[in-house]
Amino acid sequence: MLLLERKPEMPMEMDEPNIVTTWENRTQIIEIMHSAREMSQEFQDLWDKSGGMGRLSQDDTDKLIELLREIGDLNEMLKRLA
């Protein structure tokens, strides 16, 4: 059985949930992590395209906003699996 846990940063009294990975949701988590890696590369590409200055065209800014939304969606998916 595959079991990964994230230790809570707060004391246990705060009822902080642990993230548990089981064989049942392993494939979904791997897919989420693969998507996150792709998004990270897209983010890096946008940064490189800006010349490291953070100035983007409107089209690239729109891509960045969509990318940030997708990252937020992945985070929500991961939370639901936990």
Side-chain angles (χ1 to χ4, degrees):
M1 175 183 202
L2 175 65
L3 179 67
L4 301 175
E5 292 188 28
R6 178 177 59 96
K7 297 294 183 189
E9 295 175 12
M10 303 293 280
M12 290 302 285
E13 306 89 81
M14 301 299 287
D15 293 320
E16 178 83 15
N18 289 331
I19 295 177
V20 178
T21 302
T22 65
W23 284 113
E24 291 81 24
N25 62 9
R26 178 182 176 271
T27 301
Q28 291 171 300
I29 291 174
I30 289 171
E31 288 171 2
I32 289 170
M33 299 314 254
H34 178 73
S35 294
R37 184 177 55 210
E38 288 176 356
M39 288 178 197
S40 176
Q41 185 59 53
E42 288 179 48
F43 189 82
Q44 183 64 48
D45 293 345
L46 284 172
W47 178 256
D48 293 344
K49 192 173 183 179
S50 78
M53 300 295 294
R55 293 180 178 252
L56 299 170
S57 68
Q58 186 60 51
D59 287 341
D60 288 341
T61 300
D62 293 342
K63 287 178 192 175
L64 178 61
I65 290 170
E66 182 60 30
L67 183 60
L68 293 173
R69 282 188 189 124
E70 290 176 21
I71 290 169
D73 291 345
L74 283 180
N75 185 42
E76 289 302 314
M77 289 171 48
L78 188 58
K79 282 181 184 179
R80 284 193 299 268
L81 289 174

